[in-house]
Amino acid sequence: MSQDTIVAKRYAKALFEVAFEERQIMEVEEDLKSLVAALNSDVELQRFISSPRITGEHKLAVLKKALEGKLSGAVINTLEILMKRGRMDILPDLLDSYIKIEGDSLGLADATVYSTYSLSSSEQTQVAEEFGRLSGRNIRITNVVDKSLLGGLKVIIGDTLYDGSLSGKLTRLEKSFNDKHRR
């Protein structure tokens, strides 16, 4: 585990504690996601933040003005600390750590569900319930359409892959045939 990941976990834990006290756990998660997405997608913003010619105070003033009223106070305060300490690079790791801490605390898990078509809300609910029983957590679904699947679903929760896709089943069947013929 890198030093940056360890540091990000510390910041995430502190941010979660503040969000918990203020009853803004989910809002803080959404704010962090928005902030990381904005930083990842805007090259000009990345240049601005990483520019050695612009003082940290000026960067912070510009960011605070642009983000005021759009992000929770807890996220803005965390951003301010990261900016002052030159640690903006850990923001994606901070988000990942925050989501993990949040999930552990609230019994939540995020699942990425790959399917050949966009799942309806009732289908997503059904998948969430089924995998919730398997994992013992409340599941939040992100549906990704993957046309390379022949059918079925592939579900990733944390580090675990549940491959119920037709192509996955065919691969396992082929492997079992090959294993039997090698004996």
Side-chain angles (χ1 to χ4, degrees), residues 50-113:
S50 63
S51 174
R53 293 181 178 174
I54 304 170
T55 66
E57 294 82 24
H58 182 68
K59 291 176 193 177
L60 185 58
V62 169
L63 285 174
K64 282 176 82 172
K65 185 175 181 182
L67 298 173
E68 199 167 340
K70 295 179 179 144
L71 298 178
S72 65
V75 172
I76 290 178
N77 289 341
T78 301
L79 182 64
E80 184 174 348
I81 292 167
L82 293 176
M83 183 67 74
K84 285 180 179 176
R85 295 183 180 166
R87 300 306 313 244
M88 289 294 291
D89 59 319
I90 69 165
L91 204 52
D93 286 336
L94 190 153
L95 170 61
D96 292 342
S97 295
Y98 182 90
I99 290 171
K100 181 165 180 5
I101 292 166
E102 173 189 50
D104 291 346
S105 176
L106 302 178
L108 294 174
D110 288 310
T112 305
V113 179

Side-chain angles (χ1 to χ4, degrees), residues 164-181:
S165 67
L166 187 54
S167 57
K169 289 176 184 178
L170 290 172
T171 301
R172 287 189 295 277
L173 183 61
E174 178 184 25
K175 185 179 180 326
S176 73
F177 283 144
N178 289 338
D179 289 347
K180 288 179 183 177
H181 289 285

